[in-house]
């Protein structure tokens, strides 16, 4: 099956400094039909104004992946970690038994990002944080794993879930494919570019929920940047 969740139907909250779209129920947005997709619980599409951000707040028992689309986000947490993650790169926080962190856009321009929450396989464990550069040239014409808890995905940021976050860049007129194993859920978003997924057209930042399709074939109608979550 394939279900296109149009961008203009997503939950929306505009706080002035933060303009957020919610693919799934989050904060004051609640839709019983959009509570998650497999182990994927949250996919927020955030635009954070310059010199603003999220003050210190707690999390626990969640794998939180931040994919920066433009600008940069600066992280600081109760474990003593601090870092700046720039466009195209990724940071991962395993909240485990509990962690407090802040995320600020300290740049002089707006930062846009996807924040993705995945439910861990087991509760608890020590919290952790990490970030890595993933050059877009390395994922041209192919999906590259950014974060994963799947055995064999060694060259990726680790998460504590049987799930994978992957990304690709595709030139207009070209195609890229991803094999989805039986019983698994995929959720795909084009950060930019119109795409055609298994014959169905989607606009930039639409959500595309898939399962029981075998192979996901994506044709780029424009130059496209893709982010995909594969989970149970």
């Amino acid at each position: 099956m394939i279900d296109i969740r149009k961008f203009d139907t997503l939950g929306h909250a505009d706080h002035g400094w933060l303009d957020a779209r919610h693919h799934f129920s989050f904060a004051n947005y609640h839709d019983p039909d959009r509570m998650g997709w497999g182990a994927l619980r949250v996919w927020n599409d955030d635009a954070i104004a310059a010199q603003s951000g999220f003050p210190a707040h707690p999390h626990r028992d969640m794998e939180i992946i931040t994919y920066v689309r433009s600008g940069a986000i600066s992280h600081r947490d109760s474990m003593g970690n601090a870092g700046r993650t720039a466009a195209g790169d990724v940071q991962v926080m395993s909240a485990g038994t509990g962690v407090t962190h802040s995320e600020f856009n300290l740049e002089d321009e707006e930062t846009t990002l996807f924040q993705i929450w995945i439910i861990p396989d087991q509760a608890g464990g020590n919290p952790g944080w990490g970030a890595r550069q993933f050059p877009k040239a390395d994922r041209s014409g192919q999906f590259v794993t950014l974060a994963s808890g799947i055995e064999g995905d060694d060259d990726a940021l680790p998460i504590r879930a049987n799930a994978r976050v992957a990304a690709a860049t595709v030139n207009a007129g070209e195609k890229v494919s991803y094999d989805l194993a039986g019983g698994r859920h995929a959720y795909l978003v084009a950060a930019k570019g119109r795409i055609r997924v298994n014959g169905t057209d989607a606009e930039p930042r639409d959500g595309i929920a898939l399962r029981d399709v075998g192979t996901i074939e994506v044709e780029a109608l424009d130059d496209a940047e893709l982010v995909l979550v594969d989970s149970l």
Side-chain angles (χ1 to χ4, degrees):
M1 66 149 290
I2 179 169
D3 178 25
I4 305 293
R5 302 176 177 186
K6 304 300 292 182
F7 179 76
D8 61 7
T9 72
L10 304 180
H12 185 211
D14 189 347
H15 302 284
W17 65 273
L18 170 67
D19 190 2
R21 298 277 178 169
H22 309 306
H23 285 258
F24 305 104
S25 295
F26 186 84
N28 293 328
Y29 167 60
H30 179 75
D31 181 340
D33 294 327
R34 292 186 179 180
M35 293 302 297
W37 187 244
L40 174 62
R41 176 60 188 85
V42 168
W43 189 308
N44 288 344
D45 182 329
D46 292 342
I48 305 167
Q51 302 298 323
S52 64
F54 301 90
H57 58 282
H59 292 282
R60 65 177 300 159
D61 293 327
M62 195 65 68
E63 303 301 296
I64 300 174
I65 300 97
T66 303
Y67 178 93
V68 182
R69 293 164 40 219
S70 67
I73 197 76
S74 293
H75 165 99
R76 188 175 298 275
D77 63 42
S78 55
M79 297 176 284
N81 297 306
R84 176 182 178 274
T85 304
D89 299 334
V90 177
Q91 67 173 12
V92 167
M93 186 173 73
S94 293
T97 54
V99 62
T100 299
H101 80 140
S102 63
E103 289 181 301
F104 279 91
N105 173 15
L106 301 179
E107 315 303 310
D108 292 327
E109 61 180 354
E110 180 181 79
T111 287
T112 62
L113 55 83
F114 292 145
Q115 190 167 94
I116 296 163
W117 296 13
I118 298 173
I119 300 168
D121 292 344
Q122 295 181 329
N126 293 329
W129 177 85
R132 265 193 59 186
Q133 296 181 343
F134 288 95
K136 291 183 181 179
D138 292 351
R139 42 191 155 105
S140 178
Q142 62 178 345
F143 278 103
V144 170
T145 302
L146 310 178
S148 178
I150 296 174
E151 186 176 354
D153 284 348
D154 299 325
D155 190 24
L157 288 164
I159 58 175
R160 300 169 185 171
N162 188 342
R164 173 186 293 126
V165 180
T169 59
V170 192
N171 294 329
E174 296 183 354
K175 296 180 180 180
V176 65
S177 64
Y178 183 92
D179 292 332
L180 184 67
R184 298 186 69 87
H185 300 72
Y187 199 80
L188 173 69
V189 180
K192 68 174 185 179
R194 296 174 303 124
I195 58 175
R196 181 169 293 139
V197 184
N198 289 18
T200 300
D201 289 1
E203 297 294 317
R205 296 158 70 191
D206 288 351
I208 306 158
L210 304 108
R211 69 180 181 205
D212 304 324
V213 297
T215 298
I216 302 168
E217 185 175 82
V218 183
E219 179 183 357
L221 305 179
D222 306 315
D223 289 348
E225 180 179 347
L226 311 176
V227 182
L228 177 146
V229 171
D230 171 352
S231 72
L232 288 175

